[in-house]
Amino acid sequence: MNRLVKKTVSNLFALKIPSRSICTGAVNVPASTVPEILNENEKKENNTISSNSVQQYDIAIVGGGMVGMALASFLAIMPMTKQLSVATIDSNPALSGSMSIKKEDPPDPRVSTVTPATISFLQDAGAWKYVWDYTGLGYARYNARDVNKDFLGCVAENKVLHSALLSCIKDSDFKNTIYPLRLNSMTLNRSSMSVVEENMSSRESSPAQGQCAKLQLSDGSSIYAKLVVGADGGKSRVRELAGFKTTGWNYSQNAIICTVEHPSENRCAWQRFLPTGPIALLPIGDNFSNIVWTMSPTESNQRKSITEEEFLKDVNSALDYGYGSRPTSSLSGTRDVFSWFKMGTTVSANESFEIPPKITKLASQRMVFPLSLRHANSYASKRVVLIGDAAHTVHPLAGQGVNLGFGDAYSLSRVIAEGIALGTDIGEVNLLKKYEAERKPANIAMMAVLESFQKAYSVDFGPFNILRAAAFHGANYIPPLKRSIISYASGEQNFPIFL
Amino acid sequence: MAFRATINRILRHRRFPNSANSTLHLTNNTRCFSHAPSPSPSQSFKANDKDPHSGSSSLKDNELAKFAAISDTWWDSEGPFKPLHLMNPTRLAFIRSTLCRHFKRDPYSTRPFEGLKIVDVGCGGGILSEPLARLGATVTGVDAVEKNIKIAQLHADLDPTTSTIEYCCTTAEKLVEEGRTFDAVMALEVIEHVANPEEFCKSLAALTNPDGATVISTINRSMRAYATAIVAAEYILHWLPKGTHQWSSFLTPLELAMILHRAGINVEEMAGFVYNPLTGRWLLSDDISVNFIAFATKTQNTI
């Protein structure tokens, strides 16, 4: 039964991905172009002058990760929004220090698969060229001829994407002030009339800030912003402070990630669904690949602590010879059933089963992360909006998480530009709800699909396994369905069905 | 429920020239746009009327007090003024595009109205005035209701960009008497509430600079408008309090164009607002059968 489980999965998920040599160029960001940071002296000055000279910004992005900085770079390049003043609040030193990505280091284990849709957003923002700068080499184009596209996606290290976005922002005139602090608390004025009454009774706060949200930072200072963007990840503080309710559950699974090395070059992404959870192998250039292996918490703790040799043996067994024999390409057998569709059969359906590469070396430490599903019931309220993992956290099995986040950042930046064109106050709920109306259905659809995959593969029961395998067989050999799946996973389509 | 009933009771005896709330006028089914210098008695008899064009205002303290509660909800985007808040971006899109074209401003600028003097007649709580100020204009907001002006001023003071708006509790006619003129005159959702549209348009014309722009929006006097703006909006969906609009006070686009022309202003462009119930958004369209907006300019050869 396990044989059937893995039968066509490899074919279906054998995405051809161009290889990227991620670390082929050493990049040192010169100190002179480091973004303006509130250094110790300045901070002291601000504090002594007292709260009257608080800093006021148009937008405060809490969380300067990939999605937060993507939002900043999208805002930086649009004519309607590039004059906005933005404050980024994140205590991550990578944001303020000089970043050097050295060629000699093996790829970082934190990687993301980036869909073509995301790549086009990043290209529009002018950030994609920095990703290329870091890699140095041109990339090999693979014809994802199934959908008449050049490639199905790209695997990039998170820190490369992050640096690319930061470089893009720095190179533009965009005013982005980085606060290397944490957010302590937030004061949001729910009703503008209450603010008015407050201002009338007490003369303390200058009325000009009355309409803004006040953010108290970990060093005691405060900043004001017209709009607070929560881009601070799955355990979002902004989401908590603003009172957004969430729905979700923890998967009883952890993911182990690490970088591995293999003698042969690999240009293909693999995913094998095992009874305990999927294992994925993602190429990141040359002879390196990234492993994302989902399993139960006890197993993950055990696998984290065993020796490198034993771990590699486990990995190879999981990818290839363990759990059952390799699927045979059933070109002769089942094709008769589907000969109907022979005309329009996808290219990849004609290819036989490829064997994943043999892993020979562990190239980084093993990291373990708990997995969960979480979705904020609403993304926007007055003066606050959530993007990225703060709004939705998904299972990594299809590599969609950060792509949903980039989609959010793109949509929000467009909505803000529209608002500014019409003189709207950017913190106004009706404007932010437009962003929510655009992204929420798409995000929920994707989460539903991923969740159903996760549930479908967590059952190990004979007849059900056969059914599941048959479904995947069908998906592999029925061209319209396959094209639709690939289109959806690439971010070309927002919804899985033919809408 | 009780709140809604209170509003209805209050509004039945009161009207605003500007806001979405007004009373039942006494009905008359035709509008006579004659050249008679003074309005005929059959037209200007509206009881308890706050006609901005009669010099006197029949404001009474108790009536003002009744509207205090409602005035506070101007800026509550989920409150009774929600339809206006939802329609606002659509109106602004039309205004932005027509004014940019007329005054030859860069449509991709973030403050295209820099240097333009605009008056918002019947500004209410300032829902239109504030975005205009953010787009760079020097805005004057006028409304005959003191409380509205107070609310508008307080709300505008919360943001440095909008605190420059000059709010006056006055009428269009009084502004004309003061001799003030503006590059653009806005009278959105006002003309259906005034007693004498023709006189009102004459005042608007007098406020406009030569080669300036006048923008008026109102509701068409059509069967469809009766079904949507009155029956659906007031009685079924309860978007507006019952009695806000009187069908007989609506103007058809042709009538509006005629009275504007007689006042020396030529309508150049018209567009309609259409509501999409599925998305809950308003859109600009060519359909002027219900809500419509007109962009007009003052011809050079008129005073």
Side-chain angles (χ1 to χ4, degrees):
Chain A
M1 52 191 186
N2 287 334
R3 177 170 19 110
L4 289 167
V5 166
K6 58 182 176 9
K7 194 169 176 128
T8 54
V9 165
S10 309
N11 273 341
L12 181 63
F13 286 93
L15 305 171
K16 296 274 187 249
I17 289 180
S19 79
R20 282 300 119 85
S21 312
I22 296 295
C23 302
T24 53
V27 179
N28 263 315
V29 179
S32 56
T33 60
V34 162
E36 179 197 323
I37 303 167
L38 223 53
N39 60 30
E40 283 302 298
N41 294 335
E42 273 179 45
K43 266 190 281 180
K44 282 208 190 86
E45 246 181 323
N46 274 338
N47 284 336
T48 49
I49 291 175
S50 93
S51 54
N52 281 340
S53 68
V54 281
Q55 305 282 8
Q56 166 127 8
Y57 297 92
D58 292 314
I59 302 181
I61 303 181
V62 181
M66 286 190 286
V67 177
M69 291 297 94
L71 176 68
S73 55
F74 295 152
L75 291 173
I77 51 132
M78 285 193 294
M80 280 293 159
T81 53
K82 60 182 182 206
Q83 84 294 348
L84 293 174
S85 59
V86 172
T88 304
I89 300 171
D90 195 328
S91 52
N92 181 358
L95 281 173
S96 28
S98 62
M99 297 145 280
S100 57
I101 299 180
K102 295 192 198 62
K103 178 180 176 162
E104 309 80 60
D105 294 343
D108 202 62
R110 306 294 310 269
V111 302
S112 300
T113 40
V114 180
T115 59
T118 301
I119 293 175
S120 71
F121 295 155
L122 296 176
Q123 276 170 335
D124 282 345
W128 193 244
K129 61 179 190 280
Y130 295 100
V131 179
W132 290 122
D133 284 349
Y134 294 142
T135 67
L137 298 180
Y139 66 102
R141 288 175 149 226
Y142 272 88
N143 261 335
R145 288 181 296 258
D146 301 348
V147 285
N148 301 317
K149 288 274 185 293
D150 291 329
F151 53 87
L152 288 169
C154 165
V155 184
E157 283 171 90
N158 289 357
K159 68 183 189 200
V160 168
L161 285 172
H162 194 223
S163 313
L165 290 164
L166 285 172
S167 307
C168 172
I169 297 169
K170 259 178 287 169
D171 280 3
S172 63
D173 297 322
F174 200 57
K175 296 188 278 294
N176 184 17
T177 314
I178 309 231
Y179 284 84
L181 303 160
R182 293 180 120 55
L183 178 68
N184 267 358
S185 64
M186 229 168 31
T187 319
L188 298 162
N189 291 310
R190 288 291 164 193
S191 138
S192 41
M193 280 307 123
S194 70
V195 175
V196 162
E197 277 149 26
E198 217 177 85
N199 283 342
M200 292 197 315
S201 52
S202 76
R203 293 273 155 234
E204 271 177 31
S205 59
S206 105
Q209 272 102 41
Q211 189 68 309
C212 297
K214 182 176 175 189
L215 289 92
Q216 278 119 2
L217 306 177
S218 51
D219 69 341
S221 61
S222 304
I223 60 170
Y224 285 89
K226 291 193 193 141
L227 175 65
V228 179
V229 177
D232 46 350
K235 297 191 186 64
S236 168
R237 183 103 176 100
V238 172
R239 185 179 68 202
E240 186 191 320
L241 290 171
F244 286 107
K245 301 246 179 336
T246 60
T247 314
W249 46 85
N250 292 324
Y251 295 120
S252 52
Q253 288 180 323
N254 287 355
I256 288 191
I257 62 166
C258 57
T259 313
V260 295
E261 214 177 317
H262 39 77
S264 52
E265 208 181 303
N266 176 35
R267 296 283 175 88
C268 198
W270 305 90
Q271 179 146 275
R272 190 182 183 200
F273 286 88
L274 303 172
T276 47
I279 177 168
L281 185 78
L282 308 168
I284 35 180
D286 288 343
N287 295 329
F288 290 105
S289 288
N290 185 267
I291 297 260
V292 180
W293 192 359
T294 310
M295 61 189 75
S296 69
T298 38
E299 270 185 49
S300 67
N301 285 329
Q302 185 228 358
R303 288 226 167 86
K304 184 170 178 190
S305 45
I306 55 178
T307 65
E308 193 179 307
E309 247 179 59
E310 284 177 21
F311 181 71
L312 288 176
K313 222 172 79 175
D314 276 348
V315 166
N316 281 319
S317 148
L319 276 177
D320 190 16
Y321 47 85
Y323 299 93
S325 55
R326 293 177 191 149
T328 51
S329 52
S330 49
L331 290 175
S332 44
T334 40
R335 272 287 293 276
D336 295 335
V337 179
F338 295 110
S339 58
W340 223 101
F341 298 107
K342 216 165 164 184
M343 288 311 223
T345 310
T346 50
V347 172
S348 53
N350 287 325
E351 291 160 359
S352 57
F353 179 72
E354 264 182 68
I355 302 163
K358 184 171 162 72
I359 311 299
T360 49
K361 192 166 167 290
L362 189 64
S364 78
Q365 56 160 344
R366 288 159 264 174
M367 299 187 182
V368 175
F369 295 95
L371 300 176
S372 62
L373 176 96
R374 204 147 297 277
H375 187 246
N377 293 349
S378 68
Y379 296 174
S381 74
K382 194 164 161 89
R383 307 235 165 263
V384 185
V385 67
L386 302 176
I387 57 173
D389 275 4
H392 43 76
T393 319
V394 298
H395 198 280
L397 64 77
Q400 293 293 336
V402 80
N403 293 295
L404 293 179
F406 283 128
D408 288 351
Y410 186 73
S411 164
L412 182 63
S413 64
R414 291 274 171 292
V415 163
I416 291 176
E418 262 175 48
I420 294 195
L422 298 177
T424 330
D425 176 7
I426 52 177
E428 202 186 288
V429 176
N430 287 331
L431 181 72
L432 301 173
K433 287 287 176 194
K434 276 196 208 166
Y435 149 77
E436 184 175 330
E438 200 182 307
R439 288 305 299 171
K440 206 176 192 192
N443 288 340
I444 288 183
M446 177 61 81
M447 289 171 83
V449 168
L450 297 179
E451 185 60 13
S452 52
F453 265 96
Q454 204 272 337
K455 287 284 178 295
Y457 274 99
S458 52
V459 176
D460 191 12
F461 177 58
F464 185 71
N465 291 349
I466 296 173
L467 255 170
R468 186 173 52 204
F472 264 77
H473 224 88
N476 195 33
Y477 288 112
I478 299 177
L481 183 58
K482 187 164 195 179
R483 275 189 216 110
S484 173
I485 291 172
I486 293 176
S487 223
Y488 182 55
S490 310
E492 311 279 321
Q493 262 174 242
N494 268 340
F495 294 98
I497 55 176
F498 309 99
L499 271 178
Chain B
M1 278 305 286
F3 182 59
R4 180 66 65 204
T6 319
I7 292 185
N8 287 342
R9 214 176 43 241
I10 293 167
L11 291 173
R12 224 161 272 135
H13 304 291
R14 200 78 181 96
R15 61 185 278 266
F16 282 127
N18 60 304
S19 75
N21 309 310
S22 81
T23 68
L24 296 167
H25 315 313
L26 297 174
T27 58
N28 59 352
N29 290 317
T30 60
R31 312 302 300 262
C32 309
F33 299 118
S34 67
H35 282 281
S38 58
S40 59
S42 62
Q43 279 190 12
S44 56
F45 44 26
K46 297 172 170 107
N48 293 330
D49 138 285
K50 270 167 61 294
D51 183 352
H53 311 293
S54 62
S56 65
S57 151
S58 48
L59 284 170
K60 290 177 201 138
D61 283 335
N62 56 347
E63 280 165 339
L64 265 183
K66 285 175 197 168
F67 282 95
I70 307 166
S71 291
D72 282 340
T73 59
W74 264 107
W75 286 100
D76 178 7
S77 52
E78 301 297 314
F81 289 108
K82 185 172 176 178
L84 211 54
H85 280 277
L86 287 178
M87 215 199 295
N88 207 33
T90 325
R91 311 193 292 188
L92 281 160
F94 180 82
I95 293 171
R96 187 182 215 269
S97 100
T98 48
L99 260 55
C100 277
R101 210 176 313 128
H102 181 73
F103 291 106
K104 300 195 180 30
R105 298 299 176 101
D106 175 15
Y108 293 109
S109 155
T110 48
R111 291 173 66 90
F113 296 161
E114 198 75 56
L116 285 181
K117 285 191 297 172
I118 305 189
V119 64
D120 181 7
V121 177
C123 61
I127 291 186
L128 181 70
S129 310
E130 290 198 9
L132 289 174
R134 285 197 197 97
L135 291 172
T138 311
V139 181
T140 306
V142 304
D143 197 280
V145 179
E146 178 76 38
K147 183 76 184 188
N148 285 349
I149 294 291
K150 281 213 176 74
I151 297 289
Q153 188 75 68
L154 288 168
H155 191 268
D157 282 341
L158 296 175
D159 181 355
T161 341
T162 53
S163 55
T164 53
I165 300 176
E166 178 198 353
Y167 281 113
C168 309
C169 180
T170 176
T171 63
E173 232 186 39
K174 286 215 192 81
L175 279 182
V176 173
E177 281 168 26
E178 290 169 25
R180 298 192 61 175
T181 60
F182 301 88
D183 298 312
V185 174
M186 307 276 144
L188 304 193
E189 314 298 320
V190 181
I191 199 166
E192 67 263 27
H193 298 284
V194 305
N196 188 336
E198 193 154 11
E199 288 300 319
F200 183 61
C201 286
K202 286 209 174 84
S203 304
L204 294 182
L207 288 172
T208 317
N209 279 337
D211 247 3
T214 312
V215 181
I216 297 183
S217 87
T218 183
I219 306 180
N220 196 343
R221 191 177 71 251
S222 64
M223 288 322 297
R224 227 177 114 197
Y226 186 76
T228 48
I230 297 188
V231 176
E234 292 179 16
Y235 293 87
I236 299 177
L237 298 172
H238 301 296
W239 280 359
L240 301 170
K242 291 191 184 63
T244 303
H245 290 123
Q246 190 63 17
W247 189 77
S248 54
S249 318
F250 292 164
L251 291 172
T252 64
L254 190 57
E255 283 165 359
L256 179 65
M258 262 167 46
I259 53 175
L260 282 173
H261 180 75
R262 277 194 220 124
I265 294 187
N266 293 319
V267 173
E268 290 190 12
E269 239 183 280
M270 265 199 201
F273 298 136
V274 168
Y275 181 70
N276 181 343
L278 293 176
T279 57
R281 308 232 167 269
W282 287 89
L283 297 162
L284 274 178
S285 100
D286 287 329
D287 179 3
I288 51 176
S289 60
V290 187
N291 294 76
F292 71 96
I293 188 167
F295 165 77
T297 51
K298 187 164 176 178
T299 46
Q300 275 283 24
N301 52 14
T302 328
I303 313 144

